[in-house]
Amino acid sequence: MRGVERTDEGTGRRARDGDRVEGGEERQSVLGRLADVLRGSARAYWTLTGLWILLRLGTLAVGLLFQRLFDELGADGGVWLIIALVAAIEAARLFLQFGVMINRLEPRVQYGTTARLRHALLGSALRGPEVTARTSPGESLRTVGEDVDETGFFVAWAPTNLAHWLFVAASVTVMMRIDAVVTGALLALLVLLTLITALAHSRFLRHRRATRAASGEVAGALREMVGAVGAVQAAAAEPQVTAHVARLNGARAEAAVREELYAVVQRTVIGNAAPIGVGVVLLLVAGRMDEGTFSIGDLALFTFYLQILTEALGSIGMLSVRLQRVSVALGRVAGFLGGRLRRSLERVGPPDAPEGTGEGATVPDAAPEPAPPLRELAVRGLTARHPGTGHGIEDVDLVVERHTVTVITGRVGSGKSTLVRAVLGLLPHDRGTVLWNGEPIADPASFLVAPRCGYTPQVPRLFSGTVGENVLLGRDGAAFDEAVRLAVMELDLAAMPDGADTVVGPRGLRLSGGQIQRAALARMLAGAPELLVMDDVSSALDPETEHLLWERLLDGTRTVLAVSHRPALLRAADRVVVLEDGRVEASGTFDEVMAASAEMGRIWTGAGPVGGTGDTGPASSNPPGG
């Protein structure tokens, strides 16, 4: 059975194997990582590279034809044939460049690469809980966005650069055979201009980053000012706040001016490189053209090649900058994937999708074989800690039987939410095993999902769509009404002007805290999971709504694992598990733990601060609602 592994070592062996792979891939060079990235689109990449080389060979041929054309002007025959050849080569170049390469192959290479990388990154985030533990949301967004775009651009730009290198080598060879002195002077000039451009570009990038940082500070200040407008008015601090924003805006303007200055320097140097080079050639050969040692055709060839050489050397000069940027980008991508860049990309199908799936589609993972119906979920010796801290749970044993209600309770910081997240595989295990019907689960994060398991976290998140979209998440709408009824949300929907089509706003901003909790519950219930895992999901409900919610859910037909300190739920539980400092302090029926556990007595009588928000962070800022 896929997802379940019979082994005495549980998940430990798999973890160690993964660590070895991760360590090996972390030592990869940027070229090795680029090779892994291109593995799925190698044919398109090398086709694009070959066509760019062919284009540059055509450019080389046009220069030689121009030399022959201008040398034979005024002579008999051959001129019109040369003009026809130039026209044919240019027509073929335009067709290949704009009809095939830029229009088809480059987008296929670039966006096929970004699609595969994003597929791997998002798949890793969904499958691997350690991703969220080692990267912040901002870093994750930057990796999925900027770093992937940088990599996609580089792999599409690299064939052009390679063709430029070959053209530079071939054209310099041709010019050297004509006149080595003039060619050497031109190369020295172009190298000097390239170094100036590279220096200006590095300064440009520095000031561009400063401009972005200053813009972020201005945007942040404005956002805070708008959010706290009442406090500003109450303190009569409008002049001070305005002056603060003005100072930040002044710093942004200064950085933007410097950025534009170096951008203009780059454009000026590159734009004038060819005219300066032509002037150098004319100065060096003016006297020799009268002697016949340097013909008008040679001058035409040098002038034509000089235009392409300027562009080529500028592109080559950018190679080190681009390579450095893509190296950093791929390093962050590999770090996001835990060093498993190659393995993660191998899980993604090739850009050439099977027939009927559309160009650029990816082949999804095969659906796991259905597991036997739940009889018992067991946890044996589970230990898990938050990365970078010593806080977590240790040696927890837990059993959840079919059609029973198990409630985990404890004071703030006792490890309730940590335990639930560890059971579901959303927090990496130090040791221990999770079993489904007595079978060890090798990867709880991918196994304990709908329709086996549904989870509503302590602070649920909604998407910026409608209520219906948030509940169904693309599933069949037939489950909507029953899910809403079980979540006690039917009256709320009836009171909303657009019903299920009501837009909830960013993260459910337009809903109350209680409505957010019940929308998330309905989303879980719409998947009809066998096991319901809920983390303090009724904290924002009024007593009447809470009573009705548990009355509907706890009808004896569902298997429930819940985190709560609510008296009604504790009394209704078949088993209560009391946590203290990350360990199980007591376990049994409500009456048993009340009689045997001093910690339960303190929780029940309110001797200590009781709540469900202490394990993972602050509660939602939305106001309670019913």
Side-chain angles (χ1 to χ4, degrees):
M1 181 173 59
R2 188 170 181 249
V4 177
E5 180 179 316
R6 287 181 178 270
T7 172
D8 295 334
E9 297 178 343
T11 59
R13 178 180 301 166
R14 290 167 59 95
R16 288 192 294 273
D17 291 344
D19 290 342
R20 285 196 293 270
V21 172
E22 178 177 342
E25 292 196 17
E26 280 181 342
R27 290 189 291 268
Q28 272 190 314
S29 66
V30 62
L31 295 180
R33 286 173 175 162
L34 283 171
D36 290 338
V37 168
L38 288 171
R39 193 181 296 270
S41 53
R43 180 168 21 175
Y45 175 82
W46 289 114
T47 301
L48 179 63
T49 302
L51 289 177
W52 271 115
I53 293 173
L54 182 62
L55 246 63
R56 291 310 173 199
L57 288 176
T59 304
L60 197 72
V62 168
L64 293 171
L65 289 172
F66 276 163
Q67 181 191 35
R68 183 75 177 272
L69 173 66
F70 281 92
D71 281 341
E72 293 191 8
L73 282 176
D76 295 333
V79 173
W80 291 107
L81 176 60
I82 295 173
I83 293 175
L85 286 173
V86 170
I89 292 173
E90 285 298 294
R93 183 187 69 80
L94 290 173
F95 171 76
L96 283 177
Q97 185 171 353
F98 295 100
V100 177
M101 297 160 63
I102 293 178
N103 191 38
R104 294 177 180 273
L105 282 178
E106 278 192 357
R108 184 175 177 183
V109 171
Q110 179 173 351
Y111 297 115
T113 298
T114 57
R116 293 180 70 244
L117 278 173
R118 288 197 172 106
H119 187 118
L121 289 167
L122 295 176
S124 176
L126 292 173
R127 287 189 299 266
E130 68 278 1
V131 171
T132 56
R134 64 173 172 256
T135 58
S136 67
E139 291 174 343
S140 299
L141 288 174
R142 184 177 180 183
T143 299
V144 175
E146 294 179 13
D147 293 336
V148 169
D149 286 338
E150 181 68 37
T151 304
F153 176 82
F154 184 86
V155 298
W157 172 80
T160 312
N161 198 266
L162 178 59
H164 279 151
W165 276 100
L166 295 177
F167 174 81
V168 168
S171 61
V172 168
T173 301
V174 172
M175 290 190 296
M176 279 286 188
R177 295 181 64 181
I178 296 173
D179 195 305
V181 174
V182 175
T183 303
L186 278 179
L187 285 179
L189 172 66
L190 292 177
V191 169
L192 176 63
L193 295 178
T194 300
L195 291 175
I196 294 173
T197 303
L199 179 61
H201 185 70
S202 65
R203 296 292 181 90
F204 165 77
L205 290 178
R206 182 192 307 172
H207 292 298
R208 186 180 185 185
R209 287 191 292 268
T211 302
R212 288 185 174 182
S215 299
E217 290 183 2
V218 171
L222 289 174
R223 184 167 53 248
E224 291 177 355
M225 183 180 67
V226 172
V229 64
V232 172
Q233 291 174 339
E238 292 93 336
Q240 292 88 338
V241 172
T242 302
H244 175 66
V245 174
R247 284 194 298 272
L248 293 177
N249 202 41
R252 178 177 64 173
E254 183 179 350
V257 168
R258 292 179 179 177
E259 175 189 345
E260 183 61 23
L261 171 63
Y262 284 102
V264 170
V265 170
Q266 290 182 86
R267 291 195 297 267
T268 302
V269 171
I270 293 173
N272 290 285
I276 294 173
V278 172
V280 170
V281 173
L282 290 174
L283 286 174
L284 292 175
V285 304
R288 296 168 55 196
M289 292 184 70
D290 294 336
E291 302 171 0
T293 58
F294 198 92
S295 69
I296 189 68
D298 296 335
L299 179 61
L301 180 142
F302 270 69
T303 302
F304 180 74
Y305 280 177
L306 191 56
Q307 299 285 340
I308 314 300
L309 274 174
T310 302
E311 174 190 345
L313 287 176
S315 175
I316 292 171
M318 292 295 298
L319 178 62
S320 61
V321 177
R322 292 268 178 215
L323 198 59
Q324 182 180 14
R325 290 169 65 177
V326 79
S327 175
V328 173
L330 282 173
R332 283 197 288 254
V333 169
F336 187 101
L337 296 170
R340 301 177 179 90
L341 178 60
R342 183 184 306 169
R343 286 181 57 190
S344 299
L345 289 173
E346 286 173 352
R347 297 179 66 101
V348 181
D352 298 323
E355 184 177 355
T357 61
E359 185 177 350
T362 53
V363 180
D365 294 339
E369 297 179 7
L374 174 64
R375 298 190 309 272
E376 176 187 275
L377 180 77
V379 175
R380 301 288 183 235
L382 187 61
T383 297
R385 293 180 177 85
H386 294 282
T389 72
H391 302 295
I393 57 170
E394 187 169 356
D395 292 329
V396 172
D397 292 333
L398 177 69
V399 176
V400 180
E401 297 179 351
R402 181 177 178 83
H403 292 169
T404 63
V405 178
T406 301
V407 178
I408 303 169
T409 192
R411 290 191 282 180
V412 172
S414 59
K416 304 182 297 297
S417 296
T418 300
L419 172 57
V420 168
R421 289 173 56 80
V423 169
L424 296 175
L426 302 178
L427 189 68
H429 301 173
D430 292 341
R431 60 177 179 273
T433 308
V434 181
L435 304 100
W436 180 278
N437 297 340
E439 300 285 347
I441 301 174
D443 184 7
S446 61
F447 185 85
L448 294 176
V449 295
R452 300 183 187 115
C453 178
Y455 171 52
T456 302
Q458 189 179 70
V459 184
R461 300 291 188 185
L462 299 185
F463 299 101
S464 301
T466 66
V467 175
E469 290 169 340
N470 272 280
V471 170
L472 293 174
L473 293 183
R475 290 183 289 242
D476 186 356
F480 180 80
D481 291 339
E482 178 62 11
V484 167
R485 186 193 70 82
L486 289 172
V488 198
M489 203 173 179
E490 67 272 25
L491 295 180
D492 298 79
L493 281 183
M496 294 178 184
D498 297 321
D501 295 325
T502 300
V503 177
V504 303
R507 294 191 175 184
L509 184 64
R510 298 180 183 177
L511 303 182
S512 69
Q515 288 171 335
I516 290 176
Q517 286 185 331
R518 284 175 290 141
L521 275 172
R523 176 170 60 198
M524 175 184 68
L525 294 165
E530 290 191 74
L531 173 64
L532 305 180
V533 181
M534 299 174 284
D535 190 350
D536 202 24
V537 295
S538 63
S539 59
L541 303 184
D542 61 75
E544 182 179 351
T545 305
E546 181 184 25
H547 175 77
L548 185 56
L549 173 70
W550 294 124
E551 184 180 89
R552 292 180 180 180
L553 290 179
L554 308 183
D555 61 356
T557 64
R558 295 176 182 84
T559 308
V560 175
L561 174 62
V563 171
S564 182
H565 64 280
R566 300 291 187 175
L569 187 56
L570 289 170
R571 288 189 177 276
D574 298 287
R575 178 178 295 273
V576 176
V577 178
V578 183
L579 290 185
E580 183 178 12
D581 296 331
R583 292 179 174 270
V584 176
E585 196 265 347
S587 178
T589 65
F590 174 76
D591 292 333
E592 289 171 348
V593 296
M594 280 295 291
S597 171
E599 180 70 8
M600 185 63 186
R602 287 189 290 269
I603 293 170
W604 188 257
T605 59
V610 181
T613 64
D615 293 334
T616 58
S620 172
S621 59
N622 297 80

